[in-house]
Amino acid sequence: MNWGLRNRLDRVLPGLPNGTGSVMFAIDHGYFMGPTSGLEDPRKTIVPLLPHADSLMLSRGILQNSIPKRTNIPIVLRVSSGNSILNEDLSNEELCVSIEDAIRLNASAVAFSIYIGGAYEHQTIVEFSKLVNDAHRYGLPVLAVTAVGKDMNRDLRYLSLASRIAVELGADIVKTYYCDGFNELIAACPVPVVIAGGKKLPEAEALQLAHNAVQQGAAGVDMGRNIFQPEAPVAMIQAVRGVVHKNLSPKEAYDLYLTREDGDEHPADS
Ligand code: R5P
């Protein structure tokens, strides 16, 4: 792996060199869902959470309009799009942000959705592969978002298949969902894997999910709604961080969430 790629990968997932997990914070939902609940005023929600996230996954527009330019947080830039929640099929995506623009925006990695089993599987696989060619020319890591879509069966068989295909195509990081037997997925996926949180869960369950994933080999989380939709997002990201960075049990982390439920006045915990 060349120096730039390695260095950027370690910036995006800073837990990698010492074997702990990392907290990537996903706020890219609006690129097909519009003003998602909790992100209606993106800057107001996101800025207090920045000190607690290791990296930020988002679209070009929210980066340019809602993230302070002087932040040091590593950016994972979503570069695929092409559909909206108003359409039945969400898989008709293509590369919509150039590598030059990603570099201009100082992205540390780029993210692209592949729709394995979806109507536009072929198109997204080919576009993803071309993105890997171009991004690697500049030492930019590529994150494959797998298993997104309304009708995907998120079981081990499907998630392993989608994740492994992403690796075979050249992904440097795979984003997928947690499932029963997750350690088998990890064994078949020789690059760092991060998990999405999915729809909002009760906080204790979301922390259990994060705990299960890192215990079974995930390199961390790339969670969104389960961080910015709870009543106390700052407390929640600190609790998630406790699980991922410090190996807190789900109960310890949930206690941390409850004791910090007053919101955003707490400094970063590491
Ligand atoms: C999916 O296309 C996006 O990357 C989502 O924004 C991401 O999966 C969301 O994370 P979560 O499911 O934790 O809200």
Side-chain angles (χ1 to χ4, degrees), residues 24-33 36 39 57-58 78 80 90 93 111-113 115 143 145-149 154 175-177 195-200 209 221-229:
M24 191 183 292
F25 179 33
I27 49 166
D28 60 328
H29 307 64
Y31 91 93
F32 73 105
M33 290 167 65
T36 313
L39 286 181
M57 178 187 176
L58 76 179
R78 170 168 283 282
S80 62
L90 293 179
E93 289 198 350
F112 188 106
S113 293
Y115 290 87
L143 180 152
V145 181
T146 67
V148 185
R154 292 175 182 160
K175 172 172 179 170
T176 191
Y177 288 87
I195 60 144
K199 286 187 182 154
K200 163 95 173 56
L209 181 79
V221 298
D222 184 12
M223 282 173 134
R225 287 163 288 181
N226 280 289
I227 289 176
F228 62 73
Q229 289 181 343

Side-chain angles (χ1 to χ4, degrees), residues 3-238:
W3 197 95
L5 194 68
R6 178 80 264 165
N7 184 266
R8 290 190 181 96
L9 203 50
D10 287 350
R11 278 174 49 70
V12 167
L13 298 173
L16 282 181
N18 45 22
T20 65
S22 305
V23 178
M24 191 183 292
F25 179 33
I27 49 166
D28 60 328
H29 307 64
Y31 91 93
F32 73 105
M33 290 167 65
T36 313
S37 171
L39 286 181
E40 297 88 344
D41 181 344
R43 190 180 178 101
K44 190 171 165 210
T45 302
I46 298 162
V47 168
L49 296 167
L50 291 179
H52 311 286
D54 292 315
S55 52
L56 201 55
M57 178 187 176
L58 76 179
S59 68
R60 166 166 71 181
I62 294 300
L63 176 61
Q64 292 176 151
N65 293 299
S66 303
I67 305 300
K69 290 190 181 64
R70 292 213 160 89
T71 184
N72 277 327
I73 194 161
I75 298 300
V76 180
L77 189 70
R78 170 168 283 282
V79 294
S80 62
S81 59
N83 58 61
S84 86
I85 196 78
L86 299 180
N87 277 309
E88 267 310 298
D89 191 289
L90 293 179
S91 71
N92 191 0
E93 289 198 350
E94 294 181 32
L95 181 67
C96 289
V97 177
S98 66
I99 291 297
E100 288 75 14
D101 216 31
I103 292 169
R104 190 176 303 125
L105 290 166
N106 200 24
S108 294
V110 288
F112 188 106
S113 293
I114 54 171
Y115 290 87
I116 305 300
Y120 290 85
E121 174 187 272
H122 174 77
Q123 172 181 306
T124 58
I125 283 182
V126 172
E127 288 270 300
F128 178 80
S129 305
K130 290 180 183 168
L131 170 65
V132 173
N133 295 338
D134 292 340
H136 283 184
R137 196 171 303 131
Y138 297 99
L140 261 184
V142 181
L143 180 152
V145 181
T146 67
V148 185
K150 285 180 180 162
D151 304 319
M152 299 301 166
N153 184 12
R154 292 175 182 160
D155 62 10
L156 175 63
R157 188 162 176 271
Y158 173 72
L159 295 175
S160 298
L161 181 139
S163 299
R164 178 57 175 266
I165 289 174
V167 177
E168 302 269 352
L169 300 175
D172 303 292
I173 308 171
V174 169
K175 172 172 179 170
T176 191
Y177 288 87
Y178 180 76
C179 58
D180 286 342
F182 189 70
N183 55 337
E184 290 179 44
L185 181 154
I186 294 289
C189 197
V191 303
V193 175
V194 291
I195 60 144
K199 286 187 182 154
K200 163 95 173 56
L201 298 165
E203 288 76 17
E205 286 178 34
L207 293 166
Q208 181 75 55
L209 181 79
H211 176 80
N212 292 349
V214 292
Q215 288 303 310
Q216 291 179 49
V221 298
D222 184 12
M223 282 173 134
R225 287 163 288 181
N226 280 289
I227 289 176
F228 62 73
Q229 289 181 343
E231 273 182 31
V234 174
M236 189 58 185
I237 197 169
Q238 290 183 89

